[in-house]
Amino acid sequence: MREFFSNIEVGVIVQILSLFIAVATFIIARAIEKMRDRRTANREIYQKLELASIDLFRFEARNLDLIRPVWEKDTNLPAPGTAEFKATTNYVCQMLNLFEIAIKFRQDRILPPDVFGSWVAWFHDLVTAPGFPLFWEDQKWDYLPQLRHIMNAGLKLKAEETDPEVIESKFYEYVSHVLKCDIVRGWTEEGENTPYDDFWDRNKQVRKSKKVTEFNTQKMTVDWITDVSQVPALAQLFIHNSKENYISHGEIQVGRAISDKEWAEDIKEQMEKEFKEALEASPFGPSHLVGASYKNEYIGLILLEYTEFPGGWFATLSDIVVDSRFRNRDLGEKMVKWVTEHLKSMGSINYLPRVTSIMNLLTNF
């Protein structure tokens, strides 16, 4: 009888433990899912901010006469109360609105510090523009204190200092102080030995001793990747040829990396999962992956993302990887050119400037 009750107690305990494990597993899975959803949402929010800035640049290109009073010293300012003054004021406010959003995103950790540093350059350009003070005086109370402090400090520096480089350096330092963003501090200062100098010296030494891999560009082909059996090899291509300097805020946001210097432990599994999902067809091609193959081996890949906005569909070049054995052969440029020509032929999709302009940066690929 005692053994019978003992068996019942053990069974109850096992049931309780099983229930506890099931609940814990569910909670952890939900937490991971929410974290991934938040990363994806943050990425989409940031993309919308970038697209808004691109729209503003296009507006500037189409309305040179309207923006001249802000940027050109010898241009007559429109008289207050006129339609011209109102239109130019609205243009200035568009920039200030974006600045305010960028500051809020930085405070909420949506905008990474290094990306925010590139926005501070735009802050500086506007605050030192000849016509800005007139428009700012009428509009400054429409903005949050952080932006007011930053722009007022920029105007004060401009009035007190005569050296443009000193103004720029102190402005970055002040923004760093206000927003507690250390990366912005010293943004415009370079040491005597830059990363480019180190790279150039090392590259010279490597080229002297490195055996050049035979490569015939006429035998290389670029096309869509659709074969799921190639996924493991593509993941290895990414891992072996994407060192720590490839890591950006995007890799950290989506969980590929745990810091700007270290990939996640499960990076192989993550990339295989991403590449499998990328094999699904899109309205603009049989998959989201483009590969360069040579002698029955993939030596380069591009991962594309498509996003629909009110202005239409946009394609973003998410990743580009080239086998280190075949770099300095313009392979990356050839792949990007293939992609952009394909997107242009579609007609109904836009390609972001940062995708096409990357061709100018691929001389080492």
Side-chain angles (χ1 to χ4, degrees):
M1 181 67 69
R2 185 178 300 171
E3 182 179 354
F4 174 77
F5 282 108
S6 177
N7 289 336
I8 292 178
E9 291 174 358
V10 171
V12 171
I13 291 173
V14 170
Q15 289 181 356
I16 293 174
L17 287 175
S18 300
L19 179 61
F20 175 79
I21 292 172
V23 171
T25 302
F26 175 77
I27 293 173
I28 293 172
R30 287 290 297 165
I32 294 173
E33 184 180 354
K34 286 183 178 179
M35 186 180 299
R36 288 178 177 172
D37 289 344
R38 185 164 59 250
R39 287 170 178 165
T40 301
N42 287 349
R43 192 171 185 177
E44 291 177 353
I45 290 171
Y46 169 61
Q47 282 185 336
K48 289 179 180 179
L49 181 62
E50 285 288 305
L51 288 170
S53 67
I54 292 170
D55 286 340
L56 186 56
F57 297 152
R58 289 172 176 165
F59 174 85
E60 289 177 326
R62 294 193 300 264
N63 298 275
L64 294 178
D65 289 337
L66 186 148
I67 72 172
R68 288 186 200 280
V70 180
W71 301 105
E72 294 184 1
K73 184 176 181 180
D74 298 328
T75 300
N76 293 327
L77 296 173
T82 62
E84 290 79 4
F85 183 84
K86 181 65 175 177
T88 305
T89 299
N90 289 340
Y91 159 64
V92 174
C93 289
Q94 287 182 64
M95 287 185 283
L96 294 171
N97 291 341
L98 291 178
F99 294 173
E100 191 171 59
I101 293 172
I103 290 173
K104 189 69 172 68
F105 282 178
R106 177 65 209 117
Q107 291 178 320
D108 293 343
R109 300 184 180 276
I110 294 175
L111 203 60
D114 54 344
V115 177
F116 179 71
S118 65
W119 275 76
V120 177
W122 196 2
F123 294 9
H124 171 265
D125 286 348
L126 180 60
V127 82
T128 56
F132 174 70
L134 172 65
F135 299 99
W136 175 245
E137 189 62 30
D138 289 340
Q139 303 299 322
K140 61 184 179 182
W141 299 113
D142 294 339
Y143 295 94
L144 294 174
Q146 293 91 338
L147 181 59
R148 293 206 307 268
H149 295 329
I150 289 171
M151 303 311 280
N152 286 337
L155 291 174
K156 186 176 181 181
L157 284 170
K158 183 181 176 183
E160 295 177 352
E161 299 286 349
T162 57
D163 187 338
E165 291 185 1
V166 173
I167 295 173
E168 185 179 38
S169 177
K170 288 187 175 181
F171 181 73
Y172 273 89
E173 187 173 351
Y174 181 76
V175 174
S176 171
H177 168 73
V178 171
L179 299 180
K180 297 178 175 58
C181 186
D182 291 338
I183 288 183
V184 174
R185 188 187 306 273
W187 185 273
T188 59
E189 299 173 3
E190 276 191 340
E192 294 182 0
N193 193 27
T194 66
Y196 178 78
D197 295 329
D198 292 338
F199 165 78
W200 189 249
D201 293 339
R202 186 173 65 254
N203 200 38
K204 284 181 179 178
Q205 297 174 3
V206 171
R207 286 189 179 186
K208 290 180 181 179
S209 58
K210 186 176 180 181
K211 182 179 178 180
V212 178
T213 303
E214 182 183 353
F215 180 66
N216 184 346
T217 186
Q218 300 299 324
K219 296 182 179 180
M220 183 198 74
T221 60
V222 179
D223 206 345
W224 297 106
I225 301 174
T226 57
D227 186 357
V228 70
S229 68
Q230 295 294 329
V231 165
L234 295 171
Q236 290 295 339
L237 175 66
F238 181 93
I239 295 169
H240 290 163
N241 297 280
S242 302
K243 303 304 181 184
E244 288 76 11
N245 58 1
Y246 186 89
I247 298 175
S248 69
H249 65 279
E251 276 66 41
I252 298 174
Q253 284 182 328
V254 299
R256 289 182 180 177
I258 60 176
S259 71
D260 61 350
K261 300 184 184 301
E262 186 176 358
W263 291 102
E265 290 184 1
D266 63 342
I267 182 64
K268 182 176 182 295
E269 291 75 12
Q270 286 196 50
M271 296 315 302
E272 287 186 356
K273 181 176 182 294
E274 284 192 39
F275 289 155
K276 284 181 181 178
E277 293 174 350
L279 293 181
E280 296 180 2
S282 78
F284 312 103
S287 80
H288 295 70
L289 273 174
V290 172
S293 59
Y294 182 67
K295 294 184 176 180
N296 299 318
E297 177 188 6
Y298 280 111
I299 60 175
L301 68 86
I302 285 178
L303 176 61
L304 286 165
E305 293 181 357
Y306 303 105
T307 310
E308 187 176 17
F309 291 99
W313 282 90
F314 282 80
T316 303
L317 191 156
S318 180
D319 290 290
I320 176 168
V321 177
V322 173
D323 190 317
S324 59
R325 298 172 298 166
F326 297 92
R327 289 177 182 169
N328 301 301
R329 316 290 182 87
D330 298 329
L331 176 55
E333 181 177 345
K334 288 181 173 65
M335 288 195 298
V336 173
K337 185 177 181 180
W338 188 92
V339 170
T340 53
E341 287 180 350
H342 172 79
L343 295 179
K344 288 179 181 178
S345 69
M346 297 300 296
S348 60
I349 185 168
N350 303 290
Y351 46 97
L352 297 184
R354 61 168 165 260
V355 175
T356 53
S357 64
I358 202 171
M359 292 174 63
N360 299 323
L361 306 176
L362 292 173
T363 55
N364 289 325
F365 287 94

